[in-house]
Amino acid sequence: MNRTDRLYAIVEELRAVAPRPRSARWLAERFEVSSRTIERDLSALQQAGVPIWAEPGRTGGYCLDRSHTLAPLGFTVDEALAVMIALGTLSTSPFRDAATSALRKVVAVTDERSMRETARLADRIHLLGDATTQKAPRELAAALRTGQVLRIAYTDREGSATQRDVEPLGFVGKGDAWYLIAWCRLRDGLRAFRGDRIVRVTPLDERPPRRTLRAEDLGIVEGELRAVGAGAAVDAKSP
């Protein structure tokens, strides 16, 4: 059994006996691995947001909160593969940590047969990126949610360095490059800041009223701008 299959199986084992605990030793014997391996697996699941906690004592062990877990998802192999590919495209974005965590959760609640077939197919799919593209700072991921003004150290394409206070409004992804769309107080206007040119990010305490951002305000002259918001999901639910 590979690790992906084992993580799913551990969750299902704990779900089946919840709220009773299972010890690391019992799980190690069940999955024919060492107790240390089980401890690492449980830690990975906890970091991914699976509600597992330890109960101390001679009869203690690890428990799963059934009321706060998802039932196994009814993903087809193609659906699970599409989710895996989509999350993989975020590897250079500010959301890469959340994407990795989301993928772990999908793995944990997808049925074993589908996940095994999905993993086999995913090994045949590769994303071709630009080797020169660097990752956007992780600190940008929370920018839209918190609404805080950001103080950024930015280097433009000519190599000129500036420090700017900006009001985050959105993101645009193009290939491996991600751009922070923000109101720049230095330039008193809307600007796009390429993520891999943002050297440093410092959130400030100020949370100004959120400005309106329309697609036409971005002034895109090449390519097609596609939204990834809830509208697509609403459309998909429509008959």
Side-chain angles (χ1 to χ4, degrees), residues 8 128 138 166:
Y8 172 79
L128 183 62
R138 290 181 170 89
V166 302

Side-chain angles (χ1 to χ4, degrees), residues 140 152 154 162 164 166 178-184 187 189-198:
L140 294 177
I152 64 173
Y154 188 71
T162 56
R164 312 180 185 214
V166 302
W178 283 79
Y179 296 82
L180 169 67
I181 309 301
W183 185 268
C184 177
R187 306 302 186 199
L190 192 66
R191 293 291 187 274
F193 301 96
R194 183 162 160 153
D196 56 359
R197 293 183 183 143
I198 298 176

Side-chain angles (χ1 to χ4, degrees), residues 5-196:
D5 292 340
R6 189 173 65 249
L7 289 174
Y8 172 79
I10 290 172
V11 172
E12 287 305 297
E13 178 62 41
L14 294 178
R15 188 201 307 275
V17 299
R20 290 176 292 134
R22 287 290 194 207
S23 68
R25 177 179 295 181
W26 190 97
L27 292 169
E29 293 175 356
R30 165 69 176 81
F31 297 109
E32 299 179 345
V33 294
S34 69
S35 294
R36 180 173 295 181
T37 295
I38 290 294
E39 295 283 358
R40 285 198 296 263
D41 289 345
L42 290 166
S43 177
L45 289 167
Q46 289 170 326
Q47 290 175 28
V50 180
I52 296 173
W53 73 94
E55 282 195 356
R58 187 175 58 84
T59 60
Y62 290 91
C63 303
L64 178 71
D65 186 351
R66 297 187 68 175
S67 67
H68 289 82
T69 59
L70 296 173
L73 298 180
F75 282 155
T76 65
V77 169
D78 287 344
E79 289 169 342
L81 183 62
V83 171
M84 188 174 292
I85 294 170
L87 292 174
T89 64
L90 299 176
S91 62
T92 59
S93 79
F95 310 103
R96 59 188 177 277
D97 289 347
T100 299
S101 175
L103 182 57
R104 287 174 181 157
K105 290 182 180 180
V106 170
V107 168
V109 296
T110 302
D111 73 88
E112 186 173 349
R113 175 183 290 182
S114 294
M115 199 65 249
R116 187 180 298 111
E117 177 68 5
T118 299
R120 185 182 67 81
L121 295 175
D123 285 341
R124 296 175 175 268
I125 298 173
H126 299 80
L127 301 174
L128 183 62
D130 186 348
T132 62
T133 301
Q134 302 298 313
K135 296 177 180 179
R138 290 181 170 89
E139 295 84 354
L140 294 177
L144 298 184
R145 176 171 50 80
T146 65
Q148 291 173 272
V149 173
L150 301 180
R151 179 162 294 163
I152 64 173
Y154 188 71
T155 303
D156 64 22
R157 67 178 66 183
E158 281 78 31
S160 299
T162 56
Q163 178 174 284
R164 312 180 185 214
D165 288 355
V166 302
E167 302 173 24
L169 300 178
F171 288 95
V172 170
K174 182 181 180 183
D176 283 344
W178 283 79
Y179 296 82
L180 169 67
I181 309 301
W183 185 268
C184 177
R185 293 181 172 179
L186 179 65
R187 306 302 186 199
D188 194 27
L190 192 66
R191 293 291 187 274
F193 301 96
R194 183 162 160 153
D196 56 359

